[in-house]
Amino acid sequence: MVSAVLRSTVHIPVQRFATRFLGSNTAVLVGVMASFLVSGLMHELVYFYAIRLPPTWEVTCFVVLHGVATVIEIAVKRTLRWRPSHRAVSGLGALAFVSVTGVWLFLPQLLRNNVHERTISECLLVIDIAKLTLFISYA
């Protein structure tokens, strides 16, 4: 659903605007990058609401880096007419890229601000409330 919203509100309008100046092939890449940039800014906003601290822009950098990688992949596939590699190889490469960049840019902000500790304590609180509600003794 989010990708459909970004496609209709960011990618297509930016692509149509950029087509006038850059041509249709390059405009597609500009639309992709604009979508990733808006996604990064929205992720930064969600992080702001979750941790209540000024943004460090690590999350936006994470998403924009993935946008750059996607644009490079599209451009290489178009220019070299690259035959796709085996699904296991491409899947492993994508998993490695997401894991490395996630640990580098996405995770530190959560750990630095103790979001994991707050989440665990909230989960334990929900479990305690469920125990009290469901297993109340009528002795």
Side-chain angles (χ1 to χ4, degrees), residues 33-49:
M33 273 310 301
S35 298
F36 274 93
L37 178 63
V38 169
S39 177
L41 294 172
M42 295 306 291
H43 276 83
E44 204 71 55
L45 184 65
V46 168
Y47 264 61
F48 171 73
Y49 284 127

Side-chain angles (χ1 to χ4, degrees), residues 6 10-11 14-15 28-40:
L6 284 174
V10 178
H11 177 78
V14 168
Q15 181 183 351
V28 169
L29 303 178
V30 172
V32 169
M33 273 310 301
S35 298
F36 274 93
L37 178 63
V38 169
S39 177

Side-chain angles (χ1 to χ4, degrees), residues 3 5-7 21 25 27 30 33 35 37 56 69 79 81-82 88 104 111-112 116 119 122 124-126 131 134 137:
S3 61
V5 170
L6 284 174
R7 187 179 309 111
F21 306 105
N25 286 337
V30 172
M33 273 310 301
S35 298
L37 178 63
T56 61
T79 57
R81 306 230 187 267
W82 195 347
W104 172 39
L111 297 176
R112 187 180 324 116
H116 61 293
T119 303
E122 287 178 11
L124 292 174
L125 178 66
V126 168
K131 283 181 186 176
L134 298 174
S137 63

Side-chain angles (χ1 to χ4, degrees), residues 46-90:
V46 168
Y47 264 61
F48 171 73
Y49 284 127
I51 62 177
R52 296 288 183 189
L53 292 171
T56 61
W57 306 109
E58 291 168 313
V59 178
T60 302
C61 288
F62 171 83
V63 177
V64 169
L65 179 63
H66 284 252
V68 168
T70 302
V71 166
I72 290 171
E73 179 184 4
I74 293 169
V76 166
K77 284 182 178 179
R78 282 185 176 176
T79 57
L80 299 180
R81 306 230 187 267
W82 195 347
R83 205 179 100 235
S85 58
H86 190 273
R87 188 172 233 173
V89 174
S90 63

